[in-house]
mmCIF file of all heavy atoms in Angstrom:
data_model
loop_
_atom_site.group_PDB
_atom_site.id
_atom_site.type_symbol
_atom_site.label_atom_id
_atom_site.label_comp_id
_atom_site.label_asym_id
_atom_site.label_seq_id
_atom_site.Cartn_x
_atom_site.Cartn_y
_atom_site.Cartn_z
ATOM 1 N N LYS A 1 18.678 29.618 -3.723
ATOM 2 C CA LYS A 1 17.866 28.430 -3.976
ATOM 3 C C LYS A 1 18.115 27.353 -2.923
ATOM 4 O O LYS A 1 17.189 26.696 -2.447
ATOM 5 C CB LYS A 1 18.143 27.896 -5.381
ATOM 6 C CG LYS A 1 17.733 28.864 -6.489
ATOM 7 C CD LYS A 1 18.097 28.324 -7.862
ATOM 8 C CE LYS A 1 17.820 29.364 -8.948
ATOM 9 N NZ LYS A 1 16.404 29.737 -9.043
ATOM 10 N N LEU A 2 19.379 27.184 -2.558
ATOM 11 C CA LEU A 2 19.736 26.188 -1.556
ATOM 12 C C LEU A 2 19.058 26.492 -0.223
ATOM 13 O O LEU A 2 18.431 25.615 0.393
ATOM 14 C CB LEU A 2 21.257 26.148 -1.379
ATOM 15 C CG LEU A 2 21.808 25.224 -0.306
ATOM 16 C CD1 LEU A 2 21.502 23.781 -0.637
ATOM 17 C CD2 LEU A 2 23.308 25.422 -0.154
ATOM 18 N N LEU A 3 19.153 27.727 0.231
ATOM 19 C CA LEU A 3 18.570 28.108 1.519
ATOM 20 C C LEU A 3 17.046 28.038 1.485
ATOM 21 O O LEU A 3 16.402 27.694 2.485
ATOM 22 C CB LEU A 3 19.019 29.514 1.902
ATOM 23 C CG LEU A 3 20.511 29.666 2.225
ATOM 24 C CD1 LEU A 3 20.869 31.129 2.470
ATOM 25 C CD2 LEU A 3 20.887 28.819 3.440
ATOM 26 N N ALA A 4 16.465 28.345 0.324
ATOM 27 C CA ALA A 4 15.008 28.293 0.201
ATOM 28 C C ALA A 4 14.476 26.872 0.361
ATOM 29 O O ALA A 4 13.361 26.667 0.853
ATOM 30 C CB ALA A 4 14.585 28.863 -1.157
ATOM 31 N N ILE A 5 15.257 25.900 -0.057
ATOM 32 C CA ILE A 5 14.821 24.503 -0.029
ATOM 33 C C ILE A 5 14.921 23.894 1.364
ATOM 34 O O ILE A 5 14.074 23.077 1.762
ATOM 35 C CB ILE A 5 15.670 23.683 -1.034
ATOM 36 C CG1 ILE A 5 15.297 24.062 -2.478
ATOM 37 C CG2 ILE A 5 15.507 22.175 -0.811
ATOM 38 C CD1 ILE A 5 16.287 23.546 -3.502
ATOM 39 N N LEU A 6 15.917 24.283 2.131
ATOM 40 C CA LEU A 6 16.249 23.572 3.364
ATOM 41 C C LEU A 6 15.116 23.477 4.383
ATOM 42 O O LEU A 6 14.809 22.384 4.865
ATOM 43 C CB LEU A 6 17.482 24.214 4.020
ATOM 44 C CG LEU A 6 18.807 24.039 3.281
ATOM 45 C CD1 LEU A 6 19.941 24.655 4.103
ATOM 46 C CD2 LEU A 6 19.109 22.563 3.005
ATOM 47 N N LEU A 7 14.495 24.596 4.732
ATOM 48 C CA LEU A 7 13.502 24.558 5.803
ATOM 49 C C LEU A 7 12.221 23.803 5.427
ATOM 50 O O LEU A 7 11.772 22.946 6.196
ATOM 51 C CB LEU A 7 13.182 25.976 6.282
ATOM 52 C CG LEU A 7 14.225 26.591 7.217
ATOM 53 C CD1 LEU A 7 13.826 28.015 7.596
ATOM 54 C CD2 LEU A 7 14.388 25.756 8.490
ATOM 55 N N PRO A 8 11.588 24.070 4.264
ATOM 56 C CA PRO A 8 10.364 23.324 3.952
ATOM 57 C C PRO A 8 10.588 21.812 3.841
ATOM 58 O O PRO A 8 9.765 21.025 4.313
ATOM 59 C CB PRO A 8 9.921 23.917 2.604
ATOM 60 C CG PRO A 8 10.539 25.270 2.563
ATOM 61 C CD PRO A 8 11.851 25.128 3.261
ATOM 62 N N ILE A 9 11.706 21.412 3.237
ATOM 63 C CA ILE A 9 11.952 19.976 3.072
ATOM 64 C C ILE A 9 12.320 19.334 4.411
ATOM 65 O O ILE A 9 11.822 18.250 4.754
ATOM 66 C CB ILE A 9 13.054 19.730 2.024
ATOM 67 C CG1 ILE A 9 12.633 20.316 0.677
ATOM 68 C CG2 ILE A 9 13.329 18.232 1.892
ATOM 69 C CD1 ILE A 9 11.308 19.810 0.151
ATOM 70 N N SER A 10 13.160 19.996 5.191
ATOM 71 C CA SER A 10 13.480 19.485 6.527
ATOM 72 C C SER A 10 12.219 19.355 7.361
ATOM 73 O O SER A 10 12.061 18.397 8.141
ATOM 74 C CB SER A 10 14.465 20.407 7.241
ATOM 75 O OG SER A 10 15.695 20.454 6.559
ATOM 76 N N ALA A 11 11.305 20.307 7.200
ATOM 77 C CA ALA A 11 10.063 20.299 7.979
ATOM 78 C C ALA A 11 9.206 19.090 7.629
ATOM 79 O O ALA A 11 8.707 18.394 8.524
ATOM 80 C CB ALA A 11 9.284 21.591 7.725
ATOM 81 N N PHE A 12 9.007 18.809 6.338
ATOM 82 C CA PHE A 12 8.115 17.699 6.000
ATOM 83 C C PHE A 12 8.694 16.367 6.468
ATOM 84 O O PHE A 12 7.944 15.477 6.927
ATOM 85 C CB PHE A 12 7.757 17.714 4.503
ATOM 86 C CG PHE A 12 8.444 16.705 3.620
ATOM 87 C CD1 PHE A 12 8.231 15.344 3.767
ATOM 88 C CD2 PHE A 12 9.278 17.125 2.586
ATOM 89 C CE1 PHE A 12 8.855 14.417 2.925
ATOM 90 C CE2 PHE A 12 9.897 16.212 1.751
ATOM 91 C CZ PHE A 12 9.680 14.849 1.928
ATOM 92 N N VAL A 13 9.994 16.212 6.425
ATOM 93 C CA VAL A 13 10.608 14.969 6.890
ATOM 94 C C VAL A 13 10.516 14.865 8.408
ATOM 95 O O VAL A 13 10.157 13.816 8.957
ATOM 96 C CB VAL A 13 12.070 14.883 6.422
ATOM 97 C CG1 VAL A 13 12.729 13.611 6.975
ATOM 98 C CG2 VAL A 13 12.151 14.893 4.898
ATOM 99 N N THR A 14 10.827 15.951 9.097
ATOM 100 C CA THR A 14 10.771 15.965 10.556
ATOM 101 C C THR A 14 9.362 15.653 11.055
ATOM 102 O O THR A 14 9.180 14.940 12.050
ATOM 103 C CB THR A 14 11.209 17.339 11.097
ATOM 104 O OG1 THR A 14 12.525 17.635 10.618
ATOM 105 C CG2 THR A 14 11.237 17.349 12.629
ATOM 106 N N LEU A 15 8.361 16.150 10.347
ATOM 107 C CA LEU A 15 6.967 15.961 10.734
ATOM 108 C C LEU A 15 6.415 14.587 10.361
ATOM 109 O O LEU A 15 5.259 14.277 10.679
ATOM 110 C CB LEU A 15 6.107 17.056 10.094
ATOM 111 C CG LEU A 15 6.392 18.483 10.575
ATOM 112 C CD1 LEU A 15 5.663 19.500 9.708
ATOM 113 C CD2 LEU A 15 5.997 18.641 12.033
ATOM 114 N N GLY A 16 7.197 13.788 9.673
ATOM 115 C CA GLY A 16 6.747 12.442 9.320
ATOM 116 C C GLY A 16 5.740 12.402 8.194
ATOM 117 O O GLY A 16 4.914 11.487 8.114
ATOM 118 N N LEU A 17 5.800 13.384 7.289
ATOM 119 C CA LEU A 17 4.871 13.423 6.165
ATOM 120 C C LEU A 17 5.346 12.475 5.062
ATOM 121 O O LEU A 17 6.452 11.940 5.126
ATOM 122 C CB LEU A 17 4.713 14.859 5.681
ATOM 123 C CG LEU A 17 4.290 15.844 6.786
ATOM 124 C CD1 LEU A 17 4.146 17.262 6.244
ATOM 125 C CD2 LEU A 17 3.005 15.397 7.467
ATOM 126 N N GLU A 18 4.491 12.280 4.044
ATOM 127 C CA GLU A 18 4.724 11.206 3.076
ATOM 128 C C GLU A 18 4.928 11.730 1.656
ATOM 129 O O GLU A 18 4.065 12.439 1.121
ATOM 130 C CB GLU A 18 3.546 10.222 3.092
ATOM 131 C CG GLU A 18 3.374 9.481 4.403
ATOM 132 C CD GLU A 18 4.400 8.362 4.572
ATOM 133 O OE1 GLU A 18 4.619 7.591 3.625
ATOM 134 O OE2 GLU A 18 4.981 8.264 5.670
ATOM 135 N N HIS A 19 6.042 11.340 1.050
ATOM 136 C CA HIS A 19 6.416 11.757 -0.304
ATOM 137 C C HIS A 19 6.402 10.524 -1.204
ATOM 138 O O HIS A 19 7.150 9.570 -0.981
ATOM 139 C CB HIS A 19 7.808 12.385 -0.275
ATOM 140 C CG HIS A 19 8.220 13.036 -1.552
ATOM 141 N ND1 HIS A 19 8.843 12.347 -2.571
ATOM 142 C CD2 HIS A 19 8.104 14.325 -1.974
ATOM 143 C CE1 HIS A 19 9.092 13.175 -3.568
ATOM 144 N NE2 HIS A 19 8.660 14.378 -3.239
ATOM 145 N N SER A 20 5.549 10.546 -2.226
ATOM 146 C CA SER A 20 5.337 9.354 -3.043
ATOM 147 C C SER A 20 6.607 8.859 -3.720
ATOM 148 O O SER A 20 6.868 7.644 -3.756
ATOM 149 C CB SER A 20 4.259 9.619 -4.107
ATOM 150 O OG SER A 20 4.606 10.740 -4.916
ATOM 151 N N ILE A 21 7.411 9.763 -4.254
ATOM 152 C CA ILE A 21 8.602 9.322 -4.979
ATOM 153 C C ILE A 21 9.654 8.791 -4.011
ATOM 154 O O ILE A 21 10.288 7.760 -4.282
ATOM 155 C CB ILE A 21 9.168 10.480 -5.842
ATOM 156 C CG1 ILE A 21 8.079 11.008 -6.788
ATOM 157 C CG2 ILE A 21 10.376 9.988 -6.640
ATOM 158 C CD1 ILE A 21 7.387 9.954 -7.643
ATOM 159 N N ALA A 22 9.822 9.444 -2.873
ATOM 160 C CA ALA A 22 10.742 8.904 -1.862
ATOM 161 C C ALA A 22 10.291 7.514 -1.427
ATOM 162 O O ALA A 22 11.115 6.617 -1.203
ATOM 163 C CB ALA A 22 10.805 9.836 -0.660
ATOM 164 N N ASN A 23 8.970 7.313 -1.343
ATOM 165 C CA ASN A 23 8.453 6.012 -0.921
ATOM 166 C C ASN A 23 8.698 4.929 -1.967
ATOM 167 O O ASN A 23 8.701 3.737 -1.639
ATOM 168 C CB ASN A 23 6.969 6.107 -0.585
ATOM 169 C CG ASN A 23 6.739 6.801 0.740
ATOM 170 O OD1 ASN A 23 7.683 7.260 1.386
ATOM 171 N ND2 ASN A 23 5.494 6.894 1.162
ATOM 172 N N TRP A 24 8.907 5.334 -3.224
ATOM 173 C CA TRP A 24 9.286 4.357 -4.250
ATOM 174 C C TRP A 24 10.725 3.884 -4.054
ATOM 175 O O TRP A 24 11.148 2.920 -4.687
ATOM 176 C CB TRP A 24 9.097 4.943 -5.650
ATOM 177 C CG TRP A 24 7.722 4.711 -6.199
ATOM 178 C CD1 TRP A 24 6.709 5.615 -6.322
ATOM 179 C CD2 TRP A 24 7.207 3.478 -6.709
ATOM 180 N NE1 TRP A 24 5.596 5.025 -6.866
ATOM 181 C CE2 TRP A 24 5.876 3.714 -7.118
ATOM 182 C CE3 TRP A 24 7.736 2.192 -6.869
ATOM 183 C CZ2 TRP A 24 5.061 2.714 -7.666
ATOM 184 C CZ3 TRP A 24 6.931 1.205 -7.422
ATOM 185 C CH2 TRP A 24 5.622 1.460 -7.806
ATOM 186 N N PHE A 25 11.471 4.557 -3.180
ATOM 187 C CA PHE A 25 12.759 4.032 -2.739
ATOM 188 C C PHE A 25 12.611 3.289 -1.417
ATOM 189 O O PHE A 25 13.005 2.132 -1.290
ATOM 190 C CB PHE A 25 13.793 5.142 -2.567
ATOM 191 C CG PHE A 25 15.073 4.654 -1.943
ATOM 192 C CD1 PHE A 25 16.040 4.006 -2.705
ATOM 193 C CD2 PHE A 25 15.301 4.784 -0.571
ATOM 194 C CE1 PHE A 25 17.202 3.515 -2.121
ATOM 195 C CE2 PHE A 25 16.463 4.306 0.019
ATOM 196 C CZ PHE A 25 17.409 3.663 -0.760
ATOM 197 N N PHE A 26 12.010 3.950 -0.419
ATOM 198 C CA PHE A 26 11.915 3.359 0.915
ATOM 199 C C PHE A 26 11.224 1.988 0.903
ATOM 200 O O PHE A 26 11.719 1.033 1.520
ATOM 201 C CB PHE A 26 11.120 4.290 1.843
ATOM 202 C CG PHE A 26 11.869 5.480 2.345
ATOM 203 C CD1 PHE A 26 11.362 6.766 2.166
ATOM 204 C CD2 PHE A 26 13.066 5.344 3.042
ATOM 205 C CE1 PHE A 26 12.032 7.879 2.653
ATOM 206 C CE2 PHE A 26 13.762 6.443 3.532
ATOM 207 C CZ PHE A 26 13.235 7.724 3.339
ATOM 208 N N LEU A 27 10.083 1.890 0.233
ATOM 209 C CA LEU A 27 9.296 0.661 0.289
ATOM 210 C C LEU A 27 9.931 -0.497 -0.489
ATOM 211 O O LEU A 27 10.097 -1.592 0.067
ATOM 212 C CB LEU A 27 7.864 0.941 -0.172
ATOM 213 C CG LEU A 27 7.042 1.754 0.842
ATOM 214 C CD1 LEU A 27 5.802 2.342 0.193
ATOM 215 C CD2 LEU A 27 6.646 0.900 2.036
ATOM 216 N N PRO A 28 10.341 -0.303 -1.761
ATOM 217 C CA PRO A 28 11.017 -1.409 -2.445
ATOM 218 C C PRO A 28 12.323 -1.828 -1.774
ATOM 219 O O PRO A 28 12.653 -3.017 -1.753
ATOM 220 C CB PRO A 28 11.274 -0.845 -3.856
ATOM 221 C CG PRO A 28 10.202 0.160 -4.053
ATOM 222 C CD PRO A 28 10.026 0.796 -2.693
ATOM 223 N N TYR A 29 13.042 -0.862 -1.204
ATOM 224 C CA TYR A 29 14.288 -1.193 -0.513
ATOM 225 C C TYR A 29 13.990 -2.060 0.709
ATOM 226 O O TYR A 29 14.654 -3.076 0.950
ATOM 227 C CB TYR A 29 15.007 0.090 -0.111
ATOM 228 C CG TYR A 29 16.408 -0.121 0.452
ATOM 229 C CD1 TYR A 29 17.272 -1.063 -0.099
ATOM 230 C CD2 TYR A 29 16.856 0.644 1.529
ATOM 231 C CE1 TYR A 29 18.561 -1.241 0.410
ATOM 232 C CE2 TYR A 29 18.140 0.480 2.041
ATOM 233 C CZ TYR A 29 18.989 -0.474 1.484
ATOM 234 O OH TYR A 29 20.251 -0.649 1.994
ATOM 235 N N GLY A 30 12.990 -1.661 1.481
ATOM 236 C CA GLY A 30 12.613 -2.457 2.638
ATOM 237 C C GLY A 30 12.125 -3.846 2.252
ATOM 238 O O GLY A 30 12.482 -4.847 2.889
ATOM 239 N N LEU A 31 11.330 -3.924 1.194
ATOM 240 C CA LEU A 31 10.846 -5.228 0.721
ATOM 241 C C LEU A 31 12.000 -6.125 0.300
ATOM 242 O O LEU A 31 12.005 -7.334 0.568
ATOM 243 C CB LEU A 31 9.878 -5.026 -0.449
ATOM 244 C CG LEU A 31 8.477 -4.514 -0.090
ATOM 245 C CD1 LEU A 31 7.760 -4.028 -1.333
ATOM 246 C CD2 LEU A 31 7.663 -5.627 0.575
ATOM 247 N N ALA A 32 12.990 -5.523 -0.356
ATOM 248 C CA ALA A 32 14.141 -6.308 -0.818
ATOM 249 C C ALA A 32 14.987 -6.815 0.347
ATOM 250 O O ALA A 32 15.601 -7.885 0.260
ATOM 251 C CB ALA A 32 14.998 -5.460 -1.755
ATOM 252 N N LEU A 33 15.017 -6.056 1.439
ATOM 253 C CA LEU A 33 15.818 -6.449 2.602
ATOM 254 C C LEU A 33 15.112 -7.482 3.471
ATOM 255 O O LEU A 33 15.754 -8.178 4.253
ATOM 256 C CB LEU A 33 16.136 -5.215 3.458
ATOM 257 C CG LEU A 33 17.072 -4.176 2.840
ATOM 258 C CD1 LEU A 33 17.168 -2.953 3.754
ATOM 259 C CD2 LEU A 33 18.459 -4.764 2.596
ATOM 260 N N ASP A 34 13.803 -7.569 3.341
ATOM 261 C CA ASP A 34 13.006 -8.468 4.166
ATOM 262 C C ASP A 34 12.673 -9.732 3.395
ATOM 263 O O ASP A 34 11.948 -9.692 2.403
ATOM 264 C CB ASP A 34 11.720 -7.760 4.606
ATOM 265 C CG ASP A 34 10.905 -8.591 5.583
ATOM 266 O OD1 ASP A 34 11.377 -9.677 5.996
ATOM 267 O OD2 ASP A 34 9.810 -8.148 5.940
ATOM 268 N N GLY A 35 13.172 -10.842 3.863
ATOM 269 C CA GLY A 35 12.892 -12.113 3.188
ATOM 270 C C GLY A 35 11.427 -12.475 3.189
ATOM 271 O O GLY A 35 10.947 -13.211 2.323
ATOM 272 N N ASN A 36 10.661 -11.926 4.156
ATOM 273 C CA ASN A 36 9.229 -12.194 4.242
ATOM 274 C C ASN A 36 8.420 -10.960 3.873
ATOM 275 O O ASN A 36 7.305 -10.770 4.357
ATOM 276 C CB ASN A 36 8.864 -12.636 5.676
ATOM 277 C CG ASN A 36 9.567 -13.918 6.076
ATOM 278 O OD1 ASN A 36 9.610 -14.866 5.310
ATOM 279 N ND2 ASN A 36 10.139 -13.942 7.274
ATOM 280 N N GLY A 37 8.980 -10.141 3.029
ATOM 281 C CA GLY A 37 8.349 -8.879 2.675
ATOM 282 C C GLY A 37 7.015 -8.998 1.980
ATOM 283 O O GLY A 37 6.218 -8.059 1.975
ATOM 284 N N SER A 38 6.738 -10.151 1.386
ATOM 285 C CA SER A 38 5.467 -10.332 0.678
ATOM 286 C C SER A 38 4.280 -10.161 1.609
ATOM 287 O O SER A 38 3.176 -9.849 1.172
ATOM 288 C CB SER A 38 5.425 -11.712 0.016
ATOM 289 O OG SER A 38 5.581 -12.737 0.989
ATOM 290 N N GLY A 39 4.508 -10.327 2.922
ATOM 291 C CA GLY A 39 3.431 -10.195 3.891
ATOM 292 C C GLY A 39 2.908 -8.781 4.002
ATOM 293 O O GLY A 39 1.766 -8.576 4.433
#
């Protein structure tokens, strides 16, 4: 199971594709770090 997961997931990240749940971390985290994030 571990080996099956590695290549497809590494590929989508390397290719710059978009994962909605990961973005629920990336975007709120970035907004919280940016004092002018409301823009």
Side-chain angles (χ1 to χ4, degrees):
K1 296 177 186 298
L2 176 64
L3 293 175
I5 289 167
L6 291 184
L7 282 178
I9 300 304
S10 297
F12 104 65
V13 177
T14 303
L15 295 170
L17 305 180
E18 296 284 314
H19 189 272
S20 57
I21 304 307
N23 285 3
W24 271 105
F25 173 81
F26 283 125
L27 288 164
Y29 188 40
L31 285 166
L33 292 174
D34 186 5
N36 298 314
S38 58

